[in-house]
């Protein structure tokens, strides 16, 4: 893998580094907002005293810490594959471009020695999974890869209660940053509880350290609610989700296309409002993730 010199220097000096994924750039948001957001997220991380490492695969080589030009490429280039764990060997061998999902970003962050990873929302158990078996590989990855993922919960396009059950079975701690309620991505209320509330970044860092010191293999999920002022109205987002799910069914969208299709359709149905919320929650997660990474470096 190619580790950006700034990132590798920070890692060697035990300074905070925050990993970022690229599927959100290539398949999660439209151009040019995707690129603007990815660059803004990096800026927030720098402003909080950490080093950003946006991860992706170029010509079959994992890149840990993309340049702004590379981020631009991931934002507008056609044919960048959405790469989860099962795709990695093929993308490496065929020397393809790959946008990394939560699962693959975790794998590569871990291989590079990065503990904290910030994103928008993770994949989960899809509605109707009892029939379709559609359960994101992100959940399995959280079970086995030692990375802390900061997100705004899982989107209501998923089956949130089943997602929590799955994570419990897999032994993944689901924590709430200053909240007892699992945030639901576009808004902060799901009516479901996280396993534990975390009071601040230092407490979170202590939990990470306890997990690593005790060799309890696997990830940790820190959920961080979208700030109230950027939340979407529940009726609005619920309606958009219902319509998008119906459209997905009608158009026969399946497998890895589901999440990108739903995100895109919801943006269209809400006249761009869901995109604005999505951007704001990622920026908010970047701030929290940076603080956690900083505290963890001090404890390590
Ligand atoms: N959530 C978002 N935007 C995204 C994704 C999730 O708000 O772009 C991406 C992440 O990369 C996540 C992936 O890992 O979707 C999950 O896809 P699937 O449901 O196919 O596992
Ligand atoms: Mn899936």
């Amino acid at each position: 893998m190619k580790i950006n010199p700034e990132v590798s220097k920070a890692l060697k000096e035990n300074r905070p580094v925050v990993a970022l994924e690229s599927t959100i750039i290539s398949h999660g948001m439209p151009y040019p907002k995707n690129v603007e957001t990815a660059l803004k997220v990096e800026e927030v991380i720098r402003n909080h005293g950490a080093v950003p490492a946006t991860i992706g695969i170029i010509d079959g080589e994992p890149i840990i810490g993309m340049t702004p030009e590379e981020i631009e490429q991931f934002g507008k280039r056609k044919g960048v594959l959405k790469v989860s764990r099962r795709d990695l060997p093929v993308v490496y061998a065929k020397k393809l471009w790959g946008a990394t999902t939560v699962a693959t970003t975790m794998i590569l962050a871990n291989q590079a020695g990065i503990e904290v990873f910030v994103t928008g929302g993770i994949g989960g158990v899809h509605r109707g999974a009892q029939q379709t078996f559609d359960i994101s590989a992100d959940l399995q990855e959280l079970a086995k890869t030692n990375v802390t993922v900061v997100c705004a919960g899982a989107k209501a396009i998923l089956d949130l209660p089943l997602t929590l059950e799955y994570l419990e079975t897999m032994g993944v701690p689901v924590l709430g940053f200053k909240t007892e309620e699992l945030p639901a991505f576009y808004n902060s209320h799901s009516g479901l509880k996280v396993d534990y509330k975390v009071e601040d970044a230092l407490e979170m860092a202590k939990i990470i350290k306890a997990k690593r010191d005790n060799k309890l293999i696997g990830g940790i999920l820190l959920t961080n609610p979208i700030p109230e002022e950027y939340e979407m109205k529940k009726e609005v987002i619920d309606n958009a989700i219902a319509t998008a799910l119906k459209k997905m069914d009608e158009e026969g969208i399946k497998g890895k296309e589901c999440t990108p299709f739903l995100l895109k359709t919801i943006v269209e149905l809400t006249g761009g409002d869901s995109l604005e919320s999505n951007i704001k929650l990622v920026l908010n997660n970047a701030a929290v993730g940076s603080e956690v990474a900083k505290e963890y470096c001090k404890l390590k």
Side-chain angles (χ1 to χ4, degrees):
M1 56 172 53
K2 194 162 112 192
I3 306 187
N4 176 317
E6 186 195 3
V7 172
S8 67
K9 189 159 182 283
L11 289 169
K12 273 193 203 102
E13 294 170 359
N14 188 35
R15 284 187 288 114
V17 175
V18 173
L20 299 161
E21 60 153 307
S22 45
T23 290
I24 193 172
I25 306 174
S26 300
H27 300 276
M29 290 183 190
Y31 182 81
K33 287 260 175 172
N34 54 358
V35 173
E36 285 165 28
T37 304
L39 296 174
K40 243 190 253 164
V41 169
E42 290 207 339
E43 192 185 312
V44 169
I45 291 170
R46 286 184 197 287
N47 290 342
H48 281 262
V51 175
T54 300
I55 294 178
I57 301 164
I58 296 180
D59 295 329
E61 184 181 37
I63 307 294
I64 313 295
M66 288 187 203
T67 63
E69 295 72 32
E70 287 166 343
I71 288 175
E72 173 82 18
Q73 286 288 311
F74 272 78
K76 66 178 178 197
R77 205 180 152 104
K78 298 271 169 272
V80 179
L81 297 175
K82 177 180 162 189
V83 175
S84 197
R85 176 180 270 270
R86 58 105 189 255
D87 307 291
L88 276 178
V90 182
V91 170
Y92 289 163
K94 286 177 169 283
K95 302 200 183 310
L96 303 175
W97 282 60
T100 53
T101 62
V102 168
T104 29
T105 306
M106 287 180 75
I107 295 170
L108 294 173
N110 180 246
Q111 288 176 354
I114 304 171
E115 172 63 50
V116 179
F117 161 28
V118 162
T119 186
I122 58 160
V125 179
H126 280 259
R127 295 192 197 178
Q130 296 89 335
Q131 294 300 322
T132 61
F133 269 45
D134 191 349
I135 299 173
S136 176
D138 294 352
L139 300 185
Q140 279 288 330
E141 210 56 55
L142 280 161
K144 61 186 164 212
T145 300
N146 291 357
V147 168
T148 298
V149 180
V150 183
C151 69
K155 275 168 297 294
I157 58 171
L158 301 164
D159 188 319
L160 297 183
L162 289 190
T163 301
L164 285 182
E165 290 294 345
Y166 196 97
L167 288 166
E168 181 192 356
T169 304
M170 291 293 144
V172 179
V174 178
L175 310 174
F177 192 70
K178 301 184 198 280
T179 181
E180 290 185 352
E181 190 177 1
L182 178 77
F185 199 76
Y186 298 115
N187 57 48
S188 50
H189 302 290
S190 66
L192 300 165
K193 285 207 151 183
V194 292
D195 303 332
Y196 298 94
K197 176 181 177 180
V198 172
E199 300 297 342
D200 53 28
L202 173 60
E203 191 174 79
M204 186 60 211
K206 287 179 183 168
I207 294 169
I208 300 172
K209 187 167 189 302
K211 180 148 178 159
R212 301 298 167 237
D213 285 356
N214 290 284
K215 309 266 184 291
L216 295 162
I217 288 171
I220 305 174
L221 195 62
L222 178 61
T223 64
N224 180 37
I226 182 171
E228 231 169 76
E229 62 268 39
Y230 304 124
E231 272 184 316
M232 296 210 55
K233 281 220 174 58
K234 198 171 163 2
E235 315 83 72
V236 175
I237 193 66
D238 284 353
N239 275 333
I241 288 169
T243 309
L245 284 167
K246 200 164 148 258
K247 205 164 168 231
M248 181 172 92
D249 204 38
E250 285 162 7
E251 296 186 20
I253 310 283
K254 292 205 167 61
K256 70 193 273 194
E257 300 310 324
C258 290
T259 299
F261 176 86
L262 289 169
L263 288 171
K264 184 168 156 269
T265 308
I266 293 166
V267 171
E268 286 162 12
L269 290 168
T270 61
D273 286 356
S274 69
L275 180 58
E276 289 311 312
S277 291
N278 197 346
I279 293 169
K280 291 298 200 290
L281 66 86
V282 180
L283 295 173
N284 186 44
N285 293 343
V288 170
S290 306
E291 293 302 323
V292 171
K294 265 180 2 197
E295 294 297 337
Y296 185 62
C297 279
K298 285 189 225 158
L299 291 185
K300 240 194 327 183

